[in-house]
Amino acid sequence: MRRLEIKRVLEEGKPGQAVTVAGWIKSVRQSKTVGFIHLNDGSCFDSLQLVIDEKLPDREAALKQITGASLRASGTLVASSGKGQALELRPDSIEIVGECDPSSPVQKSGTSFEFLRGVAHMRPRTNTFGAVFRVRSELAFAVHEFFRERGFFLCHSPILTTSDCEGAGAMFQVSTLDLSKPPRRPDGLIDFSRDFFGEKTGLTVSGQLEAEILALSLGKVYTFGPTFRAELSTTPRHASEFWMIEPEMAFADLKDDRELAEAFVKHLLERAFKRCARDLAFFEERVEKGLRAKLEAVAKADFAVLSYSEAVAALKACGKPFQYPVEWGRDLQTEHERWLAEEHVKRPLFVIDYPLSIKPFYMYCNDDGKTVACMDLLVPRVGELIGGSQREHRLEQLTRRLKDCGLSEESYRWYADLRRFGGAPHAGFGLGFERLLMYVTGMENIRDVCLCPRVPGFAKF
Ligand code: 4AD
Ligand code: MG
C-alpha cells in the first residue's frame, strides 16, 4: 500500500480506511493491555496515535522502541476516543525501519535551545525546530506569491561579485591564490590580477546593485537569495550567512517603497496565519505568550513613520538612560530602535531620512543636502527588519557621492551607466528573511531559525 503522509491522514482520513504511514516515534506509552505510539513524519505538527493491541504480531518489537526510532505501520483508521485527535491507527503490521540509539541527544523534551544548537543536525526532529522549518518553507513560498501577484520578475543576482554594495568592508573574500605565498605586486601588496577572476572578488553582501540593472529594464524585480557578511557581530540578530529579499522598482520613490514594504510584511503575516496556524499555536504556547494577538494587531495596524530627526528628538526627550549616546548624525543602536518601536509608537515604525554621512553611496540625497531618502522598518523585539531607499539616479550627484565615499569611479562605471543611458528614479529595500522568521515564530536567536547557522567561529556541516 502506498504511504500516506500523516498530514493527509489527519485532514482527510476516514474511519475504516486502510492506510500505511511511516515516521519517527515521538513517544511510546504502555498500559496493561494496549500500547500507544505517537508517530510524526514531519508533514505537519501533529502526530498520529498508533494503538498497539495484543493481536499485533510485532507488538513487542514495536513497544521496545524509543523516541526517535523510525517505523512503517499499516492498518485501519478508527475514530479516536482520546483527547486531541479525531482518528487513530490500529496497525496490523509494523516494520521497524531505523532503531534509535538511546544516546540520541534529542531523546528528552525540554532541552534548551542553546544545547540544541550544539546538535543542530538533530534538532529538526524536535517539535520546536520542526515547526520553525515548516514556517520557513511556507513563508519562502509566500514571498514569491506576493511579488508574482504584483507583476514583479524574479532576478537571480550573482553570489560571487566584485562590488561591495553596502561599502562596509564586510565582504568574505573568494580566492584561489595560494594563501601561503600569494603573488605580490612591486609595492608588496597581493596581486589580485593573477587571482581566479583577475580582480579582488567576494561573496555578495546584497543583490541590490545587480537587481537595479534588471529593474531598469524589466521595471519591477526582486531577488531572494543568500547574502554573506563578515562582520564580527555575535548578537542574537546577526548571522554571517542570511537570506534577503530585495525588490527594486523603476519609476518609484521612497513613498512607493514604504507602501510596498508595509503590504509585503502584512501579506507574509496573513499567509503565516492561514498556512501555519498549528505551528503558530505551538509557538504561542511554548515560545512567546500573546504572539498571535501581537501579529494580528500588526497585520491590521498602520505602520508609523518618523523622520530620523524626529526619532532623535523623541529619544533625547524620553529621559531613559541608554548605554549609547543619542546624537544627530550617529547611527541608532538596537536599544534606541527597540525603544522607538516597543515603547514610543508600540507598533512597526519606519524611520526615514537618515543622515547622509552614515548611509551607503547609492541612496538618493534629499534637498536639504544632509539626509538621504531611505527607510528602516523597526519592529518590536527584533529591531531592524527592513532597510531600503530611493536610489540616487542623478549622474552628477552619484559621481560626487562615489568620490566622497572613496569609491573608484571606474569600478562603478557600469552602475553609473544605468543613469547615463536613460536613468529613472527607482527604489527598493531588503528584508532579512531570518529576522522575519524570528518575528513570526517568537524565536529569540537567529541561530534558531537557520538550518545550519553561520556565525563568527562556527560553520559546521
Ligand atoms: O540594511 P541592509 O544592510 O540593506 C541592504 O543590504 C540593502 N542593499 C537592501 C536594499 O535596499 N536592497 O540589510 C537589509 C536587511 C536588514 O534590515 C536586516 O533585516 C537584514 O537585511 N540583515 C541581516 N540579517 C541577519 N544577519 C545580518 N548580519 C544582517 N544584516 C542585515
Ligand atoms: Mg540596514
Side-chain angles (χ1 to χ4, degrees), residues 198-237:
E199 60 183 303
K200 211 170 162 181
T201 307
L203 297 178
T204 186
V205 297
S206 156
Q208 174 200 324
L209 301 188
E210 295 87 353
E212 285 185 51
I213 301 175
L214 211 54
L216 288 165
S217 54
L218 302 191
K220 291 192 293 188
V221 302
Y222 71 106
T223 71
F224 185 1
T227 49
F228 308 87
R229 300 208 180 168
E231 304 161 297
L232 276 174
S233 4
T234 51
T235 78
R237 300 169 309 112

Side-chain angles (χ1 to χ4, degrees), residues 212-218 250-251 392-396 398-399 409-410 412-426:
E212 285 185 51
I213 301 175
L214 211 54
L216 288 165
S217 54
L218 302 191
F251 308 105
E392 185 55 83
H393 68 284
R394 300 161 298 184
L395 187 57
E396 198 181 312
L398 179 70
T399 311
E409 215 182 311
E410 200 36 52
Y412 289 90
R413 176 168 294 281
W414 67 272
Y415 190 71
D417 277 353
L418 300 173
R419 283 77 180 153
R420 198 173 281 119
F421 308 124
H426 59 290

Side-chain angles (χ1 to χ4, degrees), residues 359 376 384 387:
K359 289 291 182 187
D376 275 5
E384 182 191 333

Side-chain angles (χ1 to χ4, degrees), residues 107-141:
Q107 249 325 284
K108 291 194 290 282
S109 62
T111 28
S112 72
F113 293 155
E114 196 175 342
F115 169 80
L116 291 171
R117 262 169 240 149
V119 287
H121 59 302
M122 293 307 298
R123 63 182 181 167
R125 298 272 191 96
T126 65
N127 286 337
T128 307
F129 288 90
V132 164
F133 294 114
R134 273 188 300 273
V135 172
R136 188 170 173 132
S137 170
E138 285 299 344
L139 289 185
F141 277 100

Side-chain angles (χ1 to χ4, degrees), residues 108 167 171 180 242 251 274 276 311 388 404 443 448:
K108 291 194 290 282
M171 271 176 110
S180 64
F242 61 97
F251 308 105
K274 206 158 135 195
C276 313
D404 292 348
M443 297 298 281
D448 297 337

Side-chain angles (χ1 to χ4, degrees), residues 356-387:
L356 173 94
S357 56
I358 55 171
K359 289 291 182 187
F361 72 94
Y362 55 72
M363 293 184 176
Y364 181 93
C365 186
N366 287 325
D367 290 345
D368 62 12
K370 290 191 307 201
T371 62
V372 283
C374 69
M375 60 180 196
D376 275 5
L377 177 65
L378 312 180
V379 298
R381 199 170 53 75
V382 168
E384 182 191 333
L385 178 63
I386 287 180

